[in-house]
Amino acid sequence: NHLFQLLMLVAMEPPSAFDAAAVRDEKVKVLRALRPMSRDRIPELTARGQYGRGTLGGGLLPAYREEPDVHPDSRTETYAAMRVEVENWRWQGVPFYVRTGKRLTRRVTEIAVRFKGIPVALFGRSQAETAPNELVLRIQPDEGITLRFAAKQPGAHMVLRDVNMDFRYGATWGRTSADAYERLILDALLGDATLFARDDEVDEAWRYVTPSLEAWAEMPAPSFPNYATGTWGPASAEALVERDGRRWRRP
């Protein structure tokens, strides 16, 4: 649910007005435009995992199957990743990669928008060594915005290096904004439904993910646990993006 909220907020068109009805109308259009996954492509377009033992925060932590009240052969997923496509005129051909998981290296929520590389390296080989520009919206815990781009290193030679322009809420105003649930409670008291899911939005989200859940239930579960606590997830998730010649961002 949280991942789809972020997906909709990134991909939605500007609403006709900043009110609950107009905003949620545009959000649900994104879900309706998602390209359905055929059953045979679900293993290629999704990845799932369950954490094993590992070190995090300076201590050795147990595997999910070793947690209290968890069956020793549990097939419950603690990690999921998915490649999504929005079939409309703006986003046609642009892949969206979403992932979420427990016991990863860091607890962080962010949106990373990676720009296309230019077709011609105007600055020669030096440009080939830099990554595409990237806009990162940090939701939590360190709220802010980072723009990464290439800049020329001082000197007579053309040497480009990736640099960041960074905005942090805490550093700018000396405090962070309200917690997400504090904001929602206040909106509920004020009767503002903008940030709340509407029934058709929930229906569309379930319509999209249900085939994957059904396929996962029918297919033999991968060998769990398949990623260690304190890592960024299973190898299948890395393969998911590497098929497109990409890699996950490391926050």
Side-chain angles (χ1 to χ4, degrees), residues 225-245:
N226 59 355
Y227 72 96
T229 289
T231 65
W232 282 113
S236 58
E238 300 296 332
L240 173 67
V241 294
E242 288 173 358
R243 292 188 190 99
D244 295 337

Side-chain angles (χ1 to χ4, degrees), residues 5 11 30 61 70 109 132 138 143 167 177 186 190 193 219:
Q5 288 296 320
V30 175
L61 298 178
V70 174
T109 303
R138 297 189 306 275
E143 295 175 290
F167 162 69
S177 60
L186 177 60
L190 296 174
M219 291 186 295

Side-chain angles (χ1 to χ4, degrees):
N1 289 332
H2 289 93
L3 285 177
F4 272 41
Q5 288 296 320
L6 298 181
L7 171 65
M8 288 183 285
L9 289 171
V10 170
M12 64 184 280
E13 295 296 322
S16 58
F18 193 67
D19 60 41
V23 170
R24 295 194 292 180
D25 285 346
E26 296 302 329
K27 286 171 61 182
V28 78
K29 288 178 184 178
V30 175
L31 295 181
R32 290 172 179 159
L34 294 180
R35 175 184 292 177
M37 291 187 194
S38 61
R39 180 63 65 95
D40 60 320
R41 294 201 67 199
I42 287 174
E44 173 190 345
L45 299 176
T46 67
R48 51 179 163 164
Q50 185 188 94
Y51 66 80
R53 294 180 183 177
T55 302
L56 187 64
L60 180 64
L61 298 178
Y64 177 75
R65 293 179 174 182
E66 298 170 340
E67 300 284 3
D69 302 321
V70 174
H71 193 280
D73 296 323
S74 172
R75 295 185 178 183
T76 299
E77 298 86 8
T78 62
Y79 179 99
M82 183 177 290
R83 184 187 190 277
V84 177
E85 290 190 40
V86 181
E87 291 192 301
N88 60 22
W89 68 271
R90 185 183 297 279
W91 299 112
Q92 186 72 33
V94 177
F96 288 77
Y97 302 95
V98 296
R99 62 173 173 168
T100 184
K102 298 180 182 295
R103 292 278 180 85
L104 303 182
T105 306
R106 289 182 57 201
R107 183 177 181 272
V108 59
T109 303
E110 67 176 26
I111 300 166
V113 181
R114 179 165 292 181
F115 295 87
K116 292 181 178 179
I118 61 174
V120 179
L122 297 176
F123 301 106
R125 196 169 125 195
S126 177
Q127 182 176 329
E129 299 170 356
T130 62
N133 293 355
E134 194 172 62
L135 178 65
V136 180
L137 311 175
R138 297 189 306 275
I139 311 301
Q140 67 172 3
D142 183 20
E143 295 175 290
I145 302 172
T146 296
L147 178 64
R148 188 189 69 192
F149 57 93
K152 179 184 178 298
Q153 184 173 303
H157 300 287
M158 178 57 69
V159 180
L160 301 181
R161 292 289 183 265
D162 290 328
V163 297
N164 291 334
M165 290 182 63
D166 199 26
F167 162 69
R168 298 171 184 267
Y169 277 88
T172 301
W173 286 298
R175 61 186 178 88
T176 58
S177 60
D179 177 85
Y181 288 104
E182 292 175 339
R183 171 68 185 276
L184 288 177
I185 291 172
L186 177 60
D187 285 349
L189 294 172
L190 296 174
D192 184 352
T194 304
L195 298 179
F196 291 84
R198 201 166 60 187
D199 56 352
D200 56 345
E201 180 183 318
V202 175
D203 289 342
E204 291 296 328
W206 277 107
R207 177 191 59 80
Y208 183 77
V209 301
T210 295
S212 295
L213 296 176
E214 291 175 345
W216 284 5
E218 294 174 6
M219 291 186 295
S223 179
F224 283 170
N226 59 355
Y227 72 96
T229 289
T231 65
W232 282 113
S236 58
E238 300 296 332
L240 173 67
V241 294
E242 288 173 358
R243 292 188 190 99
D244 295 337
R246 307 174 191 273
R247 61 182 180 179
W248 292 108
R249 166 182 162 78
R250 299 294 187 240

